[in-house]
Amino acid sequence: MSPSGPGPDTGRIAVIGGGPGGLYAAALLKRLDPRREVTVWERNAPEDTFGFGVVLSDETLGGIEHADPVVYGALRDEFVRWDTIDVVHRGAVHTSGGHGFAALGRRRLLQILHERCESLGVRLRFRTAAPPAAELAARHDLVIAADGVHSATREAHAAAFGPRITTHRNRYIWLAADFALDAFRFETAETGHGVMQLHAYPFSRPSPGPRTPSTRSGAPDGCGASTVIVEMREEVWRAAGLDTCDTAGSAEHCAEVFADALGGRPLRSNNSSWLTFATVTNSRWSHGNTVLIGDAAHTAHFSIGSGTKLAVEDALALAACIEEQPGLPAALAAYEAERRPVVLSTQRAAAASLRWFEELPQYVDQPPRRFAFNLLTRSRRVTHGNLRLRDPGFTGAVERDFGCPPGTPPMFTPLRLRGLELRNRVVVSPMDMYSAADGMPGDFHLVHLGARALGGAGLTMTEMVCVSPTGRITPGCTGLWTDGQEAAWTRITRFVHDSAPGAAIGVQLGHSGRKGSTKLMWDGIDQPLDEGNWPVGAASPIPYAPGVSQIPYALDRTGLDTVRAQFTDAARRAARCGFDLLELHCAHGYLLSGFLSPLTNRRTDAYGGPLENRLRFPLEVFDAVREVWPEDRPMTVRISATDWAEGGTSAEDAVGVARAFAGHGADAIDVSTGQVVPDERPEYGRSYQTPYADRIRNALDVPVIAVGAISSWDDVNSLLLAGRADLCALARPHLYDPHWTLHAAAEQGYEGPGAPWPLPYRAGSRTPPTGRTDAPRPRLTLG
């Protein structure tokens, strides 16, 4: 950045909050133009701060280096660097290297920023509460609210910023140990009260010479120091009596629990208290000439070490946008446009990490090395692929534990379900094509399913095949209630078995329930037909979209018996067709799903009320189908593990549903989510549904199929090795590339039985050349 004259709307700047984000924004803006009047209000003393150490990434440090070499130089001299992570579980220590961390004390970071601000002429007003933001906004051209997670500015203007604050279930406390660990350490302690977790990392390295007590921190100077965070579920915290402990008692208790990690040393606090993490989001980050940065705008869980990083990056982006844009409104809009996608991505990763630690008890029975891999990949930012680059020795050991033959990626290891051995772990997910006439699959279905089976997937699933004309979603849905349909499906299964030897094909049987008699997806999804509607039945007479959809009739005893018979008749036909696997569709708000969800089942008879009753009819259908389906062929069940709506299927319900089907003989649970009610609020994102599969698999030790925005072979390998799934079902990637699985093998350099190329396609098994890449590079640049 180079100095230039201040714009007419940024000459006087007020910063509320003297944390790293506020101080760095003040320094940058003053450095860009010394004529600016920049004032920082901080209610605490200069030496007061929470926490102990902060971690910054190389990416963040690179931005600091380019924006302010003076600050970068001071930080570089202070940083403690290390590249290993130790995961300690049930006495086993597994170390993964190649990660790269840099940390320093938060107090020292603030001192560096104080010194830089003072050298540039920024006014620092310590022990002084800032005036209200509205008052500052009237007297300044720009107000930067860096006043933290409990931002008074945000709350005072909540109508403008639209904050949403979500609190979480774990309790945690920030402590410190007066010695420097040599790695980032995660350790579990399974106590009589429950599972406790330690997160610890060094932030100050030992120095030679005599050590004397520090007047600043109470720790001996020169001995090094480490941040220690201890967290646990609320119920564990209470059972251990920590809810009644003072700070000293809490530190003593934690030091005793993790005595091995600390070498028997004590822990100290800094006015520490037990907290619950709050995720902060805002609809907007600016209001007039006031802008939020750092924790005031957004928070991300401490387990991915991103709070200070995000605040500093906010400051960098805000200063750059003010410098680049013609006026303040454009600058604030550009700042938010630049930062919001980055922050949302970080928050998704942080949410995944947070949930992993909240659900820690479900993983403690994993073998220690798998547990370590699971922990390292919990946020989905670290994957199997980059762990192989960082530490091939550790990752290779995890692969061997999983059972990967030499040179075989996890996704290409076989899996047996009853008499069916799948050659790899990739499933072409069921996808409605809406291209049938009178339920009859045609040439389109032959080409569609045949192409994907030729593309290498271990299992190719049909779309939902409806068990009756009135069980269709749309007039374009396929069925299996006539001899003609049976013959058409037999043609497809024969093609798959003959032309793609070793590939399996499965059928998904379902009934639309209250979501039936609607238009083709591209003509108006979930909209009723303009003409030719058929009556729809459901668990309860509740329309899918009130005022739009048909009101379904509630199935009586005769209706229930009829539907069950339709499923068994379709299953018999499916067996004669030669399908290798049958999946019962109990998800997405269709008929059987409608019985399972409390939002769609309001019955007062034996099929409604508690989960045990809501399960009754789906289990009756499952049992009837299992009885007629060949014993050696597997059956799976697709469920919606959450409705993404208040009052819907809970996490405990989802595990209960899976447990019930597994107890009745389901060979795997296909774990999807949502599509049960129209007012759902899914948390979309990469692999966003996989935590639900993960929970069921580790709670019940039943094979699961994970679905939901799994888009890369690296994700598939990661999910399998972490023990979160046994199979991965992908939909859109197989629409984009029918040969997705074969291409995944080629990209990983794998040739083997898990991904054989069809003989006519073998010439295409190598990536075609795209152009010359060996041109000589210039040796000189003449100017």
Side-chain angles (χ1 to χ4, degrees), residues 53-61 72 75-76 78-84 99-105 109 184 201-205 305 308-309:
V54 296
V55 179
L56 295 177
S57 68
D58 288 341
E59 181 182 27
T60 304
L61 292 174
Y72 174 78
L75 294 176
R76 181 190 57 210
E78 298 284 343
F79 270 125
V80 177
R81 291 186 177 272
W82 72 101
D83 69 354
T84 54
H99 296 277
F101 297 99
L104 80 164
L109 171 62
F184 207 129
Y201 59 87
F203 67 85
S204 176
R205 45 179 184 260
T308 301
K309 172 184 182 294

Side-chain angles (χ1 to χ4, degrees), residues 413-434:
T413 57
L415 178 70
R416 177 167 290 276
L417 298 174
R418 293 200 184 219
L420 175 65
E421 181 166 279
L422 299 175
R423 65 189 181 191
N424 62 52
R425 306 301 185 96
V426 179
V427 179
V428 177
S429 196
M431 293 175 279
D432 289 321
M433 294 288 106
Y434 307 108

Side-chain angles (χ1 to χ4, degrees), residues 169-242:
R169 65 183 297 178
N170 276 12
R171 290 277 180 170
Y172 67 97
I173 189 169
W174 290 84
L175 301 166
D178 292 325
F179 72 101
L181 289 161
D182 55 7
F184 207 129
R185 186 179 181 102
F186 292 98
E187 181 168 344
T188 55
E190 296 173 73
T191 74
H193 307 294
V195 182
M196 301 183 184
Q197 174 69 28
L198 173 140
H199 314 241
Y201 59 87
F203 67 85
S204 176
R205 45 179 184 260
S207 59
R211 297 171 183 175
T212 58
S214 166
T215 57
R216 294 175 299 171
S217 66
D221 283 334
C223 65
S226 300
T227 294
V228 176
I229 306 169
V230 177
E231 74 165 326
M232 64 201 71
R233 285 185 174 181
E234 173 95 11
E235 59 267 27
V236 178
W237 177 71
R238 292 188 182 279
L242 291 167

Side-chain angles (χ1 to χ4, degrees), residues 300-315:
H301 193 248
F302 61 82
S303 61
I304 66 168
S306 59
T308 301
K309 172 184 182 294
L310 289 176
V312 169
E313 289 175 349
D314 283 355

Side-chain angles (χ1 to χ4, degrees), residues 277-289:
F277 190 79
T279 297
V280 174
T281 61
N282 285 276
S283 300
R284 295 186 61 202
W285 293 354
S286 64
H287 166 54
N289 63 344

